[in-house]
Amino acid sequence: MKKTSLFLLALLAAPLFAMSNGAPNFGCTMCHQDAKPLSPQHIVIKGLPQYYEPGKSYRITIEVTDANECTPAMTACGGFALQANAGEFKVVDPTNTFIAHPTPTESFVTHTKEGSMKRTWTVEWVAPKERKPVTFRVAVIAANGDGSPFGDYFGMKTFVLQPAVPGVNPTVTTTQGNVITITKTVWVTVTITKTITVTLSG
């Protein structure tokens, strides 16, 4: 009986280490217990347009910008979880990302163990065919690399992406140097007035 009690006490005293193999839930703070706030400005999302085209695929890059650099001496450098309420995520970098299914009704893209040594990840999102607002949520960790659940930074960002509406939304078409050419499709009804000279005979 004493041996069992001592064994349970040892388990309770053992530290809970950070999850380097993906987020077990979307919040991240279950493992990174005393994580300090990371400003939303350090969470950068690249690759999404101002308005999405239904059914189109987009390569999305999630980047955590922070003063601390990732080094080979770290046991982990960072992590992320990305979720959307519409569309479908696809893995394009299986070494560093995978799709987690913590419950039968929930899924999100997160980092692998190898991906925890990065602060930049790329995934693919296929937009829904139905035109509707899509809400994205991204949670990130900037780890200090000591392998413990303490001393890291946690941040979260939520944003809504609207669908493109023909004839309404502007679309960036070309970028050359510092010049960005923007086109906008509009429906125009044109009335042409033309002077016609009629010669009557008889």
Side-chain angles (χ1 to χ4, degrees), residues 13 18 30 42-43 48 58 66 68 81 86 100-101 118 127 168 171-172 183 186 190-191 198:
M30 182 179 107
H42 292 300
I43 306 172
L48 286 175
Y58 298 93
D66 188 71
N68 298 325
H101 299 273
K118 300 168 65 70
V168 177
T171 304
V172 177
T183 61
V186 294
V190 179
T191 301
V198 179

Side-chain angles (χ1 to χ4, degrees), residues 15-123:
L16 175 64
F17 290 99
M19 286 291 295
S20 59
N21 190 26
N25 62 25
F26 192 81
C28 299
T29 52
M30 182 179 107
C31 296
H32 303 267
Q33 296 170 1
D34 74 334
K36 300 171 182 62
L38 182 71
S39 172
Q41 70 183 23
H42 292 300
I43 306 172
V44 180
I45 310 296
K46 301 176 181 178
L48 286 175
Q50 185 177 2
Y51 302 96
Y52 75 83
E53 292 289 343
K56 186 174 179 179
S57 296
Y58 298 93
R59 288 286 178 100
I60 305 175
T61 298
I62 303 96
E63 182 178 357
V64 183
T65 61
D66 188 71
N68 298 325
E69 294 292 332
C70 294
T71 67
M74 292 181 170
T75 58
C77 190
F80 83 103
L82 177 64
Q83 192 175 56
N85 67 344
E88 179 187 4
F89 285 111
K90 292 186 176 181
V91 173
V92 294
D93 181 11
T95 300
N96 296 300
T97 65
F98 74 101
I99 298 177
H101 299 273
T103 69
T105 59
E106 183 184 17
S107 66
F108 51 81
V109 190
T110 187
H111 61 278
T112 62
K113 183 174 179 58
E114 292 83 358
S116 70
M117 292 303 297
K118 300 168 65 70
R119 289 215 181 124
T120 302
W121 306 269
T122 299
V123 302

